[in-house]
Amino acid sequence: MKGFNTEQDHPAAESGNVYDVSDPTKNVDDDGREKRTGTWLTASAHIITAVIGSGVLSLAWAIAQLGWIAGTLILVIFSFITYFTSTMLADCYRAPDPVTGKRNYTYMDVVRSYLGGRKVQLCGVAQYGNLIGITVGYTITASISLVAVGKANCFHKKGHEADCTISNYPYMAVFGIIQIILSQIPNFHKLSFLSLMAAVMSFTYATIGIGLAIATVAGGKVGKTNMTGTVVGVDVTAAQKIWRSFQAVGDIAFAYAYATVLIEIQDTLKSSPAENKSMKRASLVGVSTTTFFYILCGCLGYAAFGNKAPGDFLTDFGFYEPFWLIDFANACIAFHLIGAYQVFAQPIFQFVEKRCNRNWPDNKFITSEYSVNVLFLGKFNISLFRLVWRTAYVVITTVVAMIFPFFNAILGLIGAASFWPLTVYFPVEMHIAQTKVKKYSPRWIGLKMLCWVCLIVSLLAAAGSIAGLISSVKTYKPFRTIHE
């Protein structure tokens, strides 16, 4: 075991790679950092891992609240808004020129370059608060999926009416232990293999869900559907209709939440072709692919279950058989969320570690790393600070997940809280600043109207999700998974 200082003695320590000392120029980019090797394909994998997540499973429920017309239309509108603003954000990775300007490594750096002032702090609160919420949400969802595996086997053996109650807590603990290990991956650049695996898993369980929904529709055992969704006085009360519709919008917003990590993903791309060009291509592939799956999952799920669509049609047992396929799909969800957790946690890890390195550059506990030989992995760099801090973070998010194990309300609240500031407001404001859009011009007015409309939608979605969360707290039983 050999100790060294990451800042001075080993320039490749942050990534764990060994530099080619014979020609240092081969190893660094224009900013002096390790040469980036990402492509639009790896960026697409990161996006799909981030976007096709647990949110896809709640879309049948969301469309059931909104109906065929509004539900499908809102899905498509959110996809267009997400792609439109992601192209603006991709152009802001470098400043002031989108191709030759200075690199920005994080979302906060981008906001600092173009807007400055208090907006930087507001961005930090929105981004990192959202990332923390997502990691908590993914811990909840992974445990629900693992519980569903045990329940599926129980229902298969004892019948669909059997009391197959299982606690989520042990599964949350197992998920947390796995994340403690994976959290020692130094940075985003080393997550490509995990994202590719997670992307494959997300396609797999989404396809299984679609296939089961098609089989149900083909079999004729379908629920009642309406153009406007759930019926007041039959399926829900008037108040429930309003609040659940708002919450459904929040769920859809959550399903497109990847702007939070867009800049961090873009910072993995090699500089030729230009990063913004590759990122726009990756965004188009990622958003169009996920929208296709979302419409299939949401619409086919609603067609299969009607207004009684469950909050999560794989873990809430919209389907019971074939039980082995349900087991496999839920296992894929858990594997996917293992990778997705890391995609959303890495920006938090990097932010805290860079701040600590900058504030305490002479503290050996913070700056030192040790090279060790790990079986099957070869040389691996271990930082005691990284080990302690990242372990503490995973433990805290796991404990919070145990306190608030509610699926739909959590998704809606996270989506509502992050959609407006991170997906719409900051990208639009930075685009206006970068391209110097003339005040009160038709384009300026159109962009401002987009911001205001999305703000109102986000506030309504947040209100609906809070109402759903309060309802879930009132009805929660510790040893049952309730998504009402």
Side-chain angles (χ1 to χ4, degrees), residues 100-424:
T100 61
K102 178 181 174 293
R103 294 175 187 269
N104 293 291
Y105 306 116
T106 67
Y107 204 132
M108 281 183 69
D109 289 341
V110 174
V111 175
R112 185 177 292 107
S113 294
Y114 286 98
L115 302 178
R118 290 188 177 275
K119 291 181 180 179
V120 180
Q121 284 71 40
L122 291 174
C123 171
V125 171
Q127 182 187 13
Y128 294 107
N130 173 249
L131 290 171
I132 292 168
I134 290 175
T135 54
V136 171
Y138 280 179
T139 303
I140 295 170
T141 312
S143 70
I144 290 172
S145 297
L146 292 171
V147 164
V149 172
K151 283 188 171 184
N153 295 331
C154 174
F155 287 135
H156 177 71
K157 292 178 181 178
K158 300 180 180 180
H160 299 172
E161 302 303 320
D163 181 17
C164 297
T165 56
I166 302 174
S167 172
N168 291 19
Y169 299 150
Y171 295 97
M172 289 186 187
V174 170
F175 185 81
I177 292 170
I178 293 171
Q179 292 304 333
I180 288 172
I181 296 170
L182 291 177
S183 291
Q184 301 314 306
I185 296 173
N187 54 45
F188 231 125
H189 302 274
K190 303 303 173 187
L191 284 180
S192 293
F193 78 95
L194 202 57
S195 284
L196 288 169
M197 179 205 76
V200 170
M201 293 296 104
S202 63
F203 278 125
T204 301
Y205 69 71
T207 302
I208 291 172
I210 291 169
L212 290 171
I214 291 173
T216 301
V217 173
K221 296 180 180 179
V222 296
K224 183 181 178 182
T225 64
N226 293 86
M227 296 303 289
T228 57
T230 51
V231 179
V232 174
V234 178
D235 304 304
V236 291
T237 64
Q240 286 176 328
K241 177 69 175 179
I242 294 171
W243 292 122
R244 289 187 181 186
S245 295
F246 291 159
Q247 183 181 327
V249 174
D251 284 1
I252 293 173
F254 176 84
Y256 283 104
Y258 83 97
T260 316
V261 291
L262 187 146
I263 296 298
E264 285 79 1
I265 293 173
Q266 192 167 347
D267 191 44
T268 68
L269 297 174
K270 56 186 179 183
S271 55
S272 180
E275 300 92 351
N276 64 331
K277 183 178 179 181
S278 295
M279 196 64 205
K280 289 177 183 179
R281 186 178 183 184
S283 294
L284 179 61
V285 171
V287 173
S288 58
T289 301
T290 54
T291 301
F292 174 73
F293 270 90
Y294 283 178
I295 291 175
L296 284 178
C297 282
C299 292
L300 288 173
Y302 182 43
F305 302 114
N307 296 335
K308 301 293 185 182
D312 176 331
F313 65 63
L314 284 178
T315 61
D316 276 351
F317 291 94
F319 304 105
Y320 287 90
E321 300 293 343
F323 79 99
W324 58 268
L325 189 59
I326 306 300
D327 284 354
F328 180 66
N330 280 302
C332 287
I333 295 171
F335 275 114
H336 167 254
L337 294 177
I338 287 172
Y341 183 103
Q342 286 301 310
V343 168
F344 285 101
Q346 280 293 335
I348 303 172
F349 297 155
Q350 298 298 315
F351 174 74
V352 171
E353 287 155 21
K354 287 176 181 176
R355 288 291 292 267
C356 290
N357 271 280
R358 186 165 61 246
N359 292 337
W360 299 285
D362 298 323
N363 189 309
K364 298 296 182 182
F365 174 72
I366 293 174
T367 61
S368 294
E369 292 192 355
Y370 301 90
S371 180
V372 297
N373 286 317
V374 180
L375 190 63
F376 303 122
L377 296 177
K379 287 188 176 180
F380 194 78
N381 294 328
I382 300 294
S383 163
L384 294 179
F385 173 63
R386 189 164 64 223
L387 179 64
V388 172
W389 134 246
R390 295 188 181 192
T391 298
Y393 176 83
V394 174
V395 170
I396 291 170
T397 55
T398 303
V399 170
V400 173
M402 290 178 174
I403 297 172
F404 298 104
F406 315 116
F407 181 68
N408 271 353
I410 291 290
L411 292 191
L413 187 57
I414 294 170
S418 64
F419 176 74
W420 180 74
L422 299 173
T423 302
V424 181

